[in-house]
Amino acid sequence: MAHTEWKDAPGLPDFSLLKRLARDQLIFLLEQLPGKKDLFIDADLMSPLDRIANVTILKFCLYTSSLKYTYFLFFFCRLCFLIRPRIQTVKWISDLVNADKVAGRFRRYKIIFTPQKFYACETVLEEQGVYGDVTTDEWNFYILPLDDDILSLELPEFFRDNFLEGDQRWVTTAGSALRLLQSVYGSFSKVYGIGRCAKMVYESWRELMEDGEQRTRQPEFAKVFLVDRDVDFVTPLCSQVVYEGLVDDLFRIKCGSVEFGPDVTSSDKSIKVMLNSQDKVFSEIRNEHFSNVFGFLSQKAKNLQTAYDKRRGMDIQQMKAFVADELKGLKQEHRLLSLHIGASESMMKKKTKQDFQELLKTEHSLLEGFEIRECITYIEEHINRQVSMIDSLRLLCLLSITENGLLSKDYRSLKAQYLQSYGIEHLLTFANLRQLGLLEEQQAGETLTVMESKVGKLVNDKTVGKLTDAFSSLAKKSNFRALSKRLALVPKSGEEYDLRVPRDMAYVFSGAYIPLSCKLIEQVLERDGWTGMEEVTRMLNGQEFAVTGGSSSSEARSKTDAQRIVLVMFLGGCTFSEISALRFLGKERGTYYVKQME
């Protein structure tokens, strides 16, 4: 039942090298400001920083025990700021420097931008009159390994900046991340991609490689797939039902760790837990459909009790060996098992209610294109009962994408109800969703189907208007409907789907839907390119590419470990459902998919 490693699994690259490189560069930059100093750390960097450099190492570099996350108390005449390249943060630092000037205090200031320094930030320093008082540098912390097969750029603003505001500043950062991976782990033999941002990232990476020093070494993975988040908006709008996805939805996984509250720990305090393959319990259930998790945890508890019971009847030597070799591991496993059982119970309370089952049923109906009018009625009820502000928005966006926009009367009605329930300030939310193409109103003339047009020739305009309302659920076929049919994303209704023994990636959504992004990756890698998928790429607005790299030696060794490891880079973030689906696909095809997120 549980997902275990397959026997012939290829060896993954040692991504701990990336942590060591980032830590060594940070230490070097801190030591460039000699003597005792105060370090101010951007709050967003605390979790990533904790994964690569603990407080002891930082204190050693600073020659002080002073680590601060606010701008109020100062002990030394040297101030070092470790920040994201944000204009507002730079303005605050400029205000501090100018205040020191007015007060006649002399200090040395150093700003370390990560992952890179932007011209706009230096311009602000110049405008504020402190450019000559501050030294600036950049810490190229491009990639953070979160697990054996998960890397992250740790750029939560990537999606909003690039896809909503059209700010392409992070394109170079993503290109630099690819260059870092290639310089450490060898050349890529093939690069595939789809999406406007993916194409720009590829071009940025190629420019960086041409400008830099070329070093040849045996590749540790050879294929790269770049995919824009806006290529597949449907998948992140669907409710997650794999264990790791539910943990993220309920408790919020941040930088590979989660904080379980008193309701999970059965105590009066919260516990922070790392969620990765080192957790033996979590590694076996993370990709499982939630309906299978309790059975596994129950069996695990029985096995653990059996292991503890071995103590009975032991002599002194056997007990001594048991304590030395097994007891510590059993206690650790027992602690983790208790936490995951507590988390599962908390999920059961929230996710097995009738509301959640109705939510899943509505999502599946939208994906299949059935009973659309009933789905709209459910969404209205969901909004008016104020069940969940976010879930209501997700349903509205899912309805819009699957139906190629909402009829004007439905759009205006649902929008008015949402604003009445949650506040007029969400007018901006609707404007942003519309700009992203997530929640749109069909324009006049888009709702007549071919059938309606033919009937319209035989009847008067008034009758056509009535027929338009009657055919509202059969409005113009959307690209999603066509893509779903072309790629078989939605399994045939009525078929039995055994979630205990899944047959395809659809299990991550209870057998109702195969993630579009993962299906594209599967198809392109099978075909070794986009040949034969011209219709699909046309419906996805093109921007696809497949490029052969410079590593000919790796191509000749088609079945080596390197050729069986694929780096998939999601530009704009990905879901844990997609990660689980790719793990399933990798196990089926004997391939490892290393997932890289924004």
Side-chain angles (χ1 to χ4, degrees):
M1 178 186 70
H3 286 225
T4 55
E5 298 298 334
W6 62 97
K7 292 180 180 178
D8 192 29
L12 282 168
D14 180 12
F15 292 122
S16 65
L17 288 172
L18 299 173
K19 289 185 180 181
R20 292 202 293 270
L21 285 171
R23 182 173 62 243
D24 291 346
Q25 189 192 12
L26 177 60
I27 291 172
F28 174 77
L29 292 172
L30 291 174
E31 290 178 343
Q32 295 245 304
L33 187 62
K36 292 183 177 182
K37 48 191 166 289
D38 291 315
L39 175 62
F40 298 82
I41 305 172
D42 197 317
D44 288 354
L45 290 171
M46 286 307 302
S47 293
L49 192 60
D50 190 48
R51 297 294 299 265
I52 65 162
N54 57 40
V55 174
T56 304
I57 292 174
L58 292 177
K59 286 180 180 178
F60 177 78
C61 298
L62 300 173
Y63 309 105
T64 176
S65 60
S66 176
L67 287 174
K68 303 186 184 64
Y69 321 115
T70 54
Y71 302 141
F72 299 109
L73 300 174
F74 314 106
F75 295 130
F76 303 108
C77 60
R78 299 173 188 85
L79 306 183
C80 187
F81 302 90
L82 182 60
I83 63 170
R84 294 286 193 195
R86 296 181 181 129
I87 289 177
Q88 186 57 57
T89 309
V90 175
K91 285 182 177 178
W92 288 337
I93 296 172
S94 300
D95 291 343
L96 171 65
V97 176
N98 283 324
D100 282 349
K101 283 183 182 179
V102 172
R105 288 188 292 265
F106 173 77
R107 290 193 177 104
R108 292 182 63 185
Y109 310 93
K110 182 181 180 71
I111 302 176
I112 301 174
F113 293 101
T114 186
Q116 63 189 88
K117 178 170 55 176
F118 291 130
Y119 173 75
C121 294
E122 293 186 312
T123 302
V124 171
L125 291 173
E126 191 171 353
E127 290 174 350
Q128 298 294 318
V130 298
Y131 186 79
D133 303 299
V134 177
T135 58
T136 61
D137 218 321
E138 60 182 16
W139 178 32
N140 303 133
F141 185 28
Y142 296 124
I143 304 172
L144 174 65
L146 297 179
D147 206 346
D148 293 343
D149 64 344
I150 303 178
L151 309 175
S152 176
L153 298 181
E154 287 301 309
L155 293 175
E157 58 264 67
F158 189 108
F159 178 83
R160 183 184 183 90
D161 286 353
N162 189 83
F163 294 102
L164 177 62
E165 298 178 357
D167 185 346
Q168 298 163 4
R169 58 181 171 161
W170 301 117
V171 167
T172 306
T173 305
S176 299
L178 285 177
R179 182 181 68 168
L180 174 62
L181 288 172
Q182 181 159 345
S183 64
V184 175
Y185 300 107
S187 299
F188 311 135
S189 64
K190 282 287 184 72
V191 182
Y192 313 94
I194 183 165
R196 183 166 171 264
C197 183
K199 205 161 193 175
M200 289 191 292
V201 168
Y202 168 74
E203 290 169 356
S204 172
W205 165 65
R206 292 301 303 171
E207 289 176 7
L208 291 168
M209 292 305 298
E210 288 170 4
D211 294 341
E213 180 185 352
Q214 299 290 332
R215 290 182 292 178
T216 57
R217 54 160 295 169
Q218 191 69 34
E220 295 192 49
F221 49 74
K223 295 182 179 179
V224 178
F225 198 109
L226 310 177
V227 57
D228 281 11
R229 181 69 278 170
D230 64 355
V231 167
D232 174 18
F233 274 144
V234 171
T235 299
L237 290 173
C238 296
S239 297
Q240 302 193 84
V241 289
V242 293
Y243 180 74
E244 190 169 11
L246 282 169
V247 171
D248 183 48
D249 283 347
L250 290 179
F251 304 104
R252 193 58 55 196
I253 298 174
K254 185 177 181 182
C255 206
S257 65
V258 65
E259 188 169 328
F260 289 131
D263 56 328
V264 173
T265 61
S266 300
S267 65
D268 57 351
K269 52 185 179 179
S270 300
I271 297 178
K272 191 174 183 180
V273 181
M274 296 298 299
L275 296 179
N276 54 37
S277 55
Q278 302 302 311
D279 181 340
K280 293 180 181 179
V281 178
F282 176 71
S283 65
E284 293 191 69
I285 61 174
R286 66 192 308 178
N287 304 311
E288 288 292 317
H289 189 277
F290 184 63
S291 61
N292 301 329
V293 170
F294 254 120
F296 171 81
L297 292 176
S298 176
Q299 185 60 47
K300 193 77 173 175
K302 292 176 183 177
N303 295 343
L304 199 60
Q305 187 60 49
T306 302
Y308 271 121
D309 290 344
K310 287 195 309 182
R311 295 174 296 176
R312 296 172 184 174
M314 287 184 177
D315 58 30
I316 294 176
Q317 289 300 322
Q318 290 173 329
M319 181 64 74
K320 186 177 180 181
F322 175 79
V323 171
D325 301 333
E326 298 181 46
L327 187 58
K328 185 177 180 181
L330 288 173
K331 285 185 175 180
Q332 173 70 0
E333 196 168 343
H334 181 269
R335 185 183 73 87
L336 293 171
L337 183 61
S338 298
L339 287 173
H340 289 298
I341 288 174
S344 298
E345 288 174 343
S346 183
M347 291 176 195
M348 287 287 286
K349 292 175 184 175
K350 297 176 183 177
K351 295 298 185 181
T352 56
K353 293 179 180 177
Q354 186 177 356
D355 284 342
F356 186 63
Q357 297 304 318
E358 287 293 322
L359 177 68
L360 291 180
K361 182 182 176 182
T362 302
E363 288 179 6
H364 295 172
S365 295
L366 290 173
L367 292 167
E368 294 170 3
F370 294 151
E371 302 177 338
I372 300 303
R373 186 51 56 187
E374 286 80 356
C375 292
I376 292 175
T377 302
Y378 172 80
I379 294 172
E380 289 178 328
E381 181 185 346
H382 198 273
I383 292 171
N384 294 328
R385 288 172 54 210
Q386 297 184 346
V387 177
S388 167
M389 181 172 67
I390 298 299
D391 284 347
S392 293
L393 275 181
R394 283 200 305 105
L395 287 170
L396 286 172
C397 292
L398 190 60
L399 172 64
S400 175
I401 292 176
T402 55
E403 291 299 299
N404 196 35
L406 304 182
L407 294 173
S408 293
K409 65 172 187 177
D410 290 331
Y411 179 85
R412 292 167 187 170
S413 172
L414 290 166
K415 179 179 177 182
Q417 291 178 67
Y418 190 91
L419 295 175
Q420 287 168 3
S421 290
Y422 295 110
I424 199 71
E425 64 271 16
H426 289 287
L427 273 171
L428 180 59
T429 303
F430 276 81
N432 288 340
L433 292 173
R434 188 166 190 160
Q435 187 172 335
L436 285 165
L438 281 167
L439 184 53
E440 295 184 297
E441 178 183 3
Q442 289 180 354
Q443 300 303 312
E446 288 185 347
T447 59
L448 288 178
T449 64
V450 175
M451 187 186 300
E452 290 175 75
S453 299
K454 289 180 179 178
V455 174
K457 295 177 181 178
L458 305 176
V459 295
N460 58 36
D461 290 341
K462 187 175 181 181
T463 309
V464 171
K466 292 179 180 178
L467 284 170
T468 300
D469 287 343
F471 286 129
S472 61
S473 64
L474 298 174
K476 176 186 171 184
K477 281 188 176 181
S478 69
N479 284 348
F480 174 76
R481 293 272 176 259
L483 283 166
S484 176
K485 185 176 180 180
R486 179 75 174 77
L487 295 172
L489 299 179
V490 179
K492 294 179 180 178
S493 59
E495 290 185 359
E496 288 287 330
Y497 197 100
D498 189 353
L499 293 170
R500 291 171 297 179
V501 188
R503 61 175 181 261
D504 55 29
M505 293 183 286
Y507 90 93
V508 300
F509 291 116
S510 304
Y513 166 67
I514 297 174
L516 170 58
S517 55
C518 301
K519 191 69 174 181
L520 286 174
I521 293 165
E522 177 192 30
Q523 291 292 308
V524 170
L525 292 176
E526 271 186 6
R527 300 163 188 262
D528 196 22
W530 295 94
T531 305
M533 297 186 68
E534 290 79 10
E535 184 183 351
V536 171
T537 57
R538 178 181 56 78
M539 288 186 282
L540 292 170
N541 299 319
Q543 302 288 342
E544 78 283 358
F545 58 93
V547 184
T548 301
S551 180
S552 57
S553 61
S554 64
E555 191 64 27
R557 297 159 45 252
S558 60
K559 286 299 178 183
T560 61
D561 279 4
Q563 286 296 318
R564 294 166 60 202
I565 300 176
V566 181
L567 173 69
V568 180
M569 190 177 199
F570 289 91
L571 296 161
C574 74
T575 65
F576 286 104
S577 297
E578 287 167 306
I579 291 174
S580 293
L582 287 176
R583 285 184 180 131
F584 177 88
L585 179 63
K587 187 177 178 182
E588 292 290 298
R589 304 299 167 87
T591 303
Y592 251 128
Y593 292 87
V594 177
K595 284 67 69 176
Q596 183 165 336
M597 308 175 288
E598 46 78 15

